[in-house]
Amino acid sequence: MNQSIEQSQTPLQYVVRCGSMRTLGVMDAKQTYRYGDDVVVRSTRGTEIGTVLCEATPAAIDHMEEPTEGRILRLMSADDRVQTDHLESLIEKDRIKCQRCIDYLKLKMELVDVERILGGEKIVVYFLADQRVDFRQLVRDLAKQFQTRIEMRQIGVRDEAKLLADYGDCGQPICCARFLSKMPPVSMKMAKLQKATLDPAKISGRCGRLKCCLRYEFDTYESMAKDLPAPGSLVLTRDGNATVLAQDILAGQLVVRTEDKRRILVQADEIVSVIRHGEDPEKTARRKKSHAKKDREAKK
């Protein structure tokens, strides 16, 4: 009996996605909600609309980076939807007003988007800038026009795509707008390892940076690559010694050059032994670059 009372008094918590930037938060609740429920929450920004994703279990919270806090006030009502639609209809006019103020003050910044919070506590202005911008006068001017608090938020090009873009080259809604809460670091090394084309136009996302999806399978490729002899390795095959030229990671195959200068494709399990391990081409390139730099400095 006491155990059931304790369970009923345990506070309910849900992971809720809020705002234009789709920020994740852990929200307290007084009743149960389901995945996909549109709710009105009280967050650190004020009263706003959110979407319930799941229960805030310890496992779910462990996968979140610095989640915001707050509480769910209620399910989104018909009146809330009308108010939300009304606020969204004002966004274009809000952008025009903000842009006029920016142009008048001749500030070196690019306006990206304007977001009105449901409760009217504040308006968030998202912008891009190459350097620090003194927007104190802009905030005062906008506060007079909108009669509410103004929050200026400088973002990067990836965040710009998150706010404005819709679909990626794959035909799916862009990942950063659909489920990514943090932008994973992506490097050209990931594209090279996965044998992706190195044409920037084909491996760049809507933000102009390398596609986030290059990060998803990189760990698997890297793990599988470690089980294969690296390019430059000297291996013993059934046909004699050969030098590894390239790896086909997913197929588990190697392109090798035999002692009689033939290039052949062999299965990894056909390698009898590795006589000499090759060095990572990138490490070799970095070492040569470092040596060249030292030689130039020595000549000076």
Side-chain angles (χ1 to χ4, degrees), residues 20 24 37 134 155 193 286 299:
S20 298
L24 297 182
D37 282 346
D134 184 357
I155 61 175
L193 184 63
R286 286 197 297 268
K299 290 178 181 179

Side-chain angles (χ1 to χ4, degrees), residues 267-281:
Q267 292 292 138
D269 56 12
E270 294 178 15
I271 301 299
V272 178
S273 64
V274 178
I275 301 172
R276 185 187 67 245
H277 290 280
E279 186 177 15
D280 185 341

